[in-house]
Amino acid sequence: MTNPPQHPPPQYEAAFWQTSQRRMFALLVAFGTLACVGALWAQAPRFDPLDRVALPALALILLGLQLALLLRWLTVGVAATIAYGMTSVYFLLALEQQFRVFAPQVRMLSESTYWFPVLYAGAFLLYSPRRAAWLAGITYLLAFAVCVYHLLTGPSAGDPRLVGAVAQFLLVGAVMIIVQATFGAQRVQLLAERAAAYRDTLTGLANRRAAEERLSALAQDGERFTLVLFDLDHFKAVNDQHGHATGDLVLRGVAQAAQGTLPRGGVAARWGGEEFLLILPVLSTRQVREMLDTLRAQLGGQRHGEVTGITASFGVATAREGEHPDVVLARADAAMYAAKHRGRNDVQHADLQRTHHGGLLEPFPEDHGPG
């Protein structure tokens, strides 16, 4: 008897989250670069000694990280960590300097302290709430230490006006972190609910809604794909003869096998009942055959109580340039039913000239495919 598959976040959900992080990081890079340029423009022609060097360097680092991300030299997590660390170092150095130069003259903090709350908020946009709270909290504690040190030992130590300004700065930072941590926890809960809404509760695979949205996203991005639609053979007899509990075990076992044979970037979904859909990157005929041969062998070797030798009928279709997903699905569906009519336990490719019972033969001459 196979064990029910675990329920990790579906691959489509992970891809969605990673895409969101990339977009957010790109926005923060653009915003941070413009802020650096704007600060230098406002200071011209009398530049602050620190900003004269640090701001151009920070802007170049941000742009370099974005380029490295686009070229896939770095992951978004590494790029975000470097960007957050470098930005935090700059703000802390600026805070230290203004206590030495600016604060003794005007008994106030400069406008650069306004950016600390933005820094705290950025951590919660890029990281999980727990990690963001740690990063923002460490930055806050370092800023707190700088402020207390200079209030106690600096030339303006004990100045009521400066103490009030510093107190406001530290209170706003603390409130910002608390608020962001609260919203972050709520966001995690909402993401968990969203993931549940896109997951089939029995098998742990993506559900039909998730698969439809994945296909819609691929169509909007103009990406081609290969679909495999398959239906378990004689599944009604399994439920009738062995009960629905055994039928559920069969469905879970099929889901586990399908998930395990997916290539990178593929998504397995329960399309409905005993019908499953695999959304794959564009694969050649040979690649599809090898993957489905592996899947069919695993299904045939499964045992669920008295049920053994599970088989399925497969329909395969690869999207043509500009073809709507519904059309590709219809072709895969027709191919699947053709496989059923040929006696089941068969694979039918919508783009092939002919098939052989239990396997695939040659494609049309013009269908070379990748690989």
Side-chain angles (χ1 to χ4, degrees):
M1 183 181 299
T2 60
N3 294 323
Q6 299 300 312
H7 289 197
Q11 291 186 16
Y12 68 89
E13 191 71 20
F16 170 82
W17 175 239
Q18 187 176 53
T19 300
S20 299
Q21 281 188 310
R22 285 178 173 272
R23 290 174 179 172
M24 184 60 65
F25 184 78
L27 287 174
L28 292 176
V29 166
F31 185 72
T33 303
L34 288 175
C36 291
V37 173
L40 289 172
W41 178 79
Q43 293 179 21
R46 300 179 60 185
F47 297 104
D48 179 89
L50 174 66
D51 290 347
R52 183 193 300 272
V53 176
L55 288 178
L58 183 59
L60 289 175
I61 289 172
L62 292 176
L63 293 173
L65 290 172
Q66 180 61 35
L67 178 61
L69 198 59
L70 292 174
L71 296 175
R72 301 192 180 278
W73 294 345
L74 295 175
T75 64
V76 65
V78 172
T81 299
I82 295 173
Y84 187 86
M86 298 304 297
T87 306
S88 298
V89 168
Y90 165 71
F91 283 139
L92 290 169
L93 289 175
L95 181 64
E96 167 71 19
Q97 186 187 28
Q98 65 178 284
F99 271 109
R100 297 182 182 279
V101 179
F102 183 81
Q105 298 178 13
V106 298
R107 295 182 297 167
M108 293 287 290
L109 296 177
S110 72
E111 294 85 349
S112 64
T113 55
Y114 300 162
W115 291 96
F116 272 88
V118 177
L119 184 66
Y120 302 146
F124 286 92
L125 290 174
L126 292 170
Y127 300 105
S128 66
R130 176 170 299 197
R131 186 175 183 186
W134 273 101
L135 289 173
I138 290 172
T139 305
Y140 177 84
L141 289 176
L142 290 173
F144 184 89
V146 170
C147 292
V148 171
Y149 172 79
H150 284 285
L151 285 179
L152 294 177
T153 64
S156 301
D159 186 292
R161 187 175 176 185
L162 181 58
V163 170
V166 170
Q168 291 288 338
F169 164 66
L170 295 175
L171 283 173
V172 168
V175 170
M176 174 62 73
I177 293 174
I178 293 171
V179 169
Q180 289 293 328
T182 303
F183 283 135
Q186 293 175 350
R187 184 184 67 178
V188 169
Q189 183 177 356
L190 289 173
L191 287 175
E193 292 173 357
R194 183 184 187 278
Y198 284 83
R199 181 188 290 121
D200 178 64
T201 54
L202 176 64
T203 64
L205 298 181
N207 58 19
R208 183 166 184 148
R209 175 184 177 186
E212 288 175 342
E213 292 199 9
R214 174 63 175 162
L215 290 173
S216 177
L218 289 170
Q220 289 178 0
D221 294 340
E223 295 185 31
R224 296 178 62 219
F225 51 89
T226 294
L227 292 184
V228 177
L229 188 65
F230 68 95
D231 186 86
L232 303 186
D233 297 330
H234 306 296
F235 184 72
K236 185 176 184 299
V238 172
N239 282 330
D240 291 343
Q241 297 175 18
H242 304 282
H244 288 278
T246 300
D248 289 348
L249 289 176
V250 171
L251 292 174
R252 292 192 185 106
V254 171
Q256 191 174 44
Q259 187 75 36
T261 56
L262 283 177
R264 184 173 183 178
V267 172
R270 186 182 179 195
W271 194 240
E274 67 271 23
E275 201 169 66
F276 295 83
L277 179 69
L278 307 181
I279 306 173
L280 311 171
V282 175
L283 300 178
S284 69
T285 304
R286 183 175 299 278
Q287 289 171 322
V288 173
R289 179 174 61 230
E290 291 175 352
M291 187 194 77
L292 294 185
D293 282 349
T294 300
L295 176 57
R296 295 169 68 200
Q298 290 186 11
L299 295 182
Q302 288 186 357
R303 181 182 183 90
H304 307 279
E306 297 180 359
V307 178
T308 59
I310 299 164
T311 64
S313 300
F314 296 80
V316 183
T318 295
R320 302 185 179 105
E321 196 70 35
E323 190 174 29
H324 194 277
D326 288 348
V327 178
V328 189
L329 267 170
R331 292 198 293 116
D333 187 63
M336 182 187 72
Y337 277 97
K340 283 184 174 292
H341 293 154
R342 291 174 63 89
R344 295 184 171 86
N345 188 23
D346 197 6
V347 179
Q348 179 80 30
H349 201 306
D351 303 319
L352 290 187
Q353 207 167 17
R354 62 194 187 281
T355 63
H356 182 273
H357 188 76
L360 296 173
L361 292 183
E362 295 301 319
F364 285 119
E366 64 271 19
D367 181 18
H368 299 290

